[in-house]
Amino acid sequence: MAIVKMKRLRLIALARDRDALLSSLLHVGCVEVKEPSAYLADEAYSALLRRDTAAVADAKSSITELKQALDVLGQYAPYKGGLFAQRAQVREGELLDEAARRAALEKAREINAHAKTIGALNAREARVKADQMALRPWSACDLPLELKGTAKVDVLLGTVPNTADFNALAGAAEEAAGAVEIRRLSSDREQQYLEVLVHKDCRQAALEAMRSYGFAFAQLRDLTGTAQENIQRLDVELQAIDKERNREIAAIEAMGPCRDELKKGVDRMGQVLATESAKERLLTGGSVVYLDGWCEAPEVPALEKALAKFECAYELSDPAPEEYPDVPVKLKNNVFSRCMNVVTEMYSLPAYDGID
């Protein structure tokens, strides 16, 4: 039979041994801890035991940071190895190296910080370019944008729809106000951009005439200097943004050799996540912890050897027929049929008491 036999494991250990116990079980690799929801729903158990604390969210967050850093390296420092590159071999001690795990996280955070800075620079560049685009239609205006007029004359900047007849508008304003001069600075597919010089006494009359053609005041921010001067200033700012972004990209490219370390970091954090997830399924009363799960029957000797190092009490039993739907299923085939496990697992594993 290719379905591995399982044993029900119930274990009580001292709370102080929790981390070392879980680390030992992780090393053995043959125990699956059950979700304790049934016990928490039982008043007799819930009065004595509660879920153990765990740092599952922190572990998941760290894995996300590492994967994000790998994505950043893939974007700015892509791997140029062969299609069938051989995977690095990692010993167990190296995989569980806490110092190496912390170092990988630090490098991931450094890479992500560079990427965050690049994102901020890209957003800033988009704003600067938008400001430039808003100013370009006014570049022919040689008056400072902060100038609103003189003692006798008002300076008005505004737009009318491109469909408006400029000559008719200028004529109507001159007829209504008299002392007014209108210059069309530029136009595009949507609007015409106008500079209006009008005597203060005639301002209202000129505005009423122009508004009949759809005149609206320009929405320019509080800027000083001419439009062209501001465009040139923004050009300088864009160059500075580009220079700073190139520095950040170069810093990421320099960390390209860290790719393998980050990949190992993901695997290391995967082990941490597995341990923290197991902690979350433990029940505790404060001084003891309770574990309920399943163990592969062929690995019972290895499990008992691992548990012998701790002050604990445990029970191993065969699953009852009513427990079969909850028993985890593991396939174990010979070398000739092992490749079919992938196909079987892709669709649906057989029931524990079924036929493979």
Side-chain angles (χ1 to χ4, degrees), residues 46-344:
S46 61
L48 299 172
L49 301 172
R50 64 183 185 277
R51 273 187 184 273
D52 202 358
T53 56
V56 173
D58 291 341
K60 288 182 177 179
S61 176
S62 295
I63 290 175
T64 299
E65 285 184 289
L66 288 162
K67 289 183 175 179
Q68 183 180 348
L70 285 169
D71 290 341
V72 172
L73 287 181
Q75 180 179 356
Y76 295 104
Y79 179 63
K80 298 180 181 179
L83 180 62
F84 301 102
Q86 188 175 5
R87 292 187 176 183
Q89 298 294 318
V90 181
R91 296 183 180 275
E92 180 183 351
E94 184 182 355
L95 180 64
L96 302 178
D97 188 338
E98 184 177 348
R101 185 176 71 242
R102 288 198 300 267
L105 269 173
E106 286 300 319
K107 289 179 180 177
R109 286 163 183 161
E110 184 178 349
I111 291 170
N112 292 335
H114 289 303
K116 184 178 180 181
T117 301
I118 291 173
L121 289 170
N122 290 340
R124 182 178 156 198
E125 180 185 58
R127 291 194 298 270
V128 171
K129 287 183 175 179
D131 290 343
Q132 270 195 334
M133 288 185 64
L135 284 169
R136 290 194 189 282
W138 309 101
S139 59
C141 179
D142 53 4
L143 296 175
L145 296 177
E146 73 273 19
L147 180 64
K148 304 303 180 185
T150 65
K152 300 288 186 178
V153 178
D154 282 344
V155 178
L156 311 177
L157 296 177
T159 61
V160 293
N162 195 34
T163 54
D165 187 329
F166 173 73
N167 293 327
L169 177 148
E174 186 175 353
E175 182 179 349
V180 60
E181 180 182 341
I182 303 175
R183 181 162 70 110
R184 182 165 55 189
L185 300 172
S186 64
S187 63
D188 54 31
R189 289 187 298 178
E190 296 180 356
Q191 297 184 111
Q192 301 176 63
Y193 301 84
L194 309 180
E195 176 190 83
V196 181
L197 304 179
V198 60
H199 194 279
K200 288 184 179 292
D201 295 340
C202 305
R203 174 189 173 107
Q204 194 59 36
L207 282 175
E208 290 177 1
M210 291 189 296
R211 280 173 178 156
S212 64
Y213 289 87
F215 179 84
F217 284 105
Q219 299 299 315
L220 296 174
R221 296 182 303 172
D222 296 331
L223 298 171
T224 59
T226 65
Q228 190 59 40
E229 288 171 348
N230 280 276
I231 291 172
Q232 291 172 353
R233 176 183 58 79
L234 294 174
D235 274 333
V236 173
E237 187 173 351
L238 286 173
Q239 291 171 10
I241 290 172
D242 191 55
K243 187 175 181 180
E244 185 176 354
R245 180 170 50 211
N246 288 336
R247 283 199 300 267
E248 295 295 328
I249 292 174
I252 294 175
E253 290 174 342
M255 299 189 73
C258 299
R259 180 180 281 101
D260 288 342
E261 185 178 350
L262 295 178
K263 288 180 179 179
K264 291 176 185 176
V266 173
D267 293 337
R268 290 184 177 107
M269 284 309 307
Q271 300 302 309
V272 174
L273 178 59
T275 302
E276 294 300 331
S277 298
K279 286 181 186 178
E280 201 172 50
R281 293 190 180 99
L282 297 181
L283 294 175
T284 181
S287 58
V288 298
V289 290
Y290 173 74
L291 179 154
D292 190 356
W294 303 97
C295 171
E296 301 168 31
E299 300 296 332
V300 166
L303 173 65
E304 291 179 332
K305 183 179 178 181
L307 295 180
K309 303 173 185 176
F310 302 95
E311 296 181 28
C312 62
Y314 63 91
E315 175 189 46
L316 289 163
S317 60
D318 292 324
E322 61 270 16
E323 295 177 318
Y324 285 170
D326 298 325
V327 180
V329 176
K330 181 177 180 179
L331 303 179
K332 186 175 183 180
N333 289 313
N334 59 37
V335 67
F336 297 105
S337 56
R338 193 177 300 152
C339 60
M340 298 305 296
N341 286 0
V342 177
V343 180
T344 305

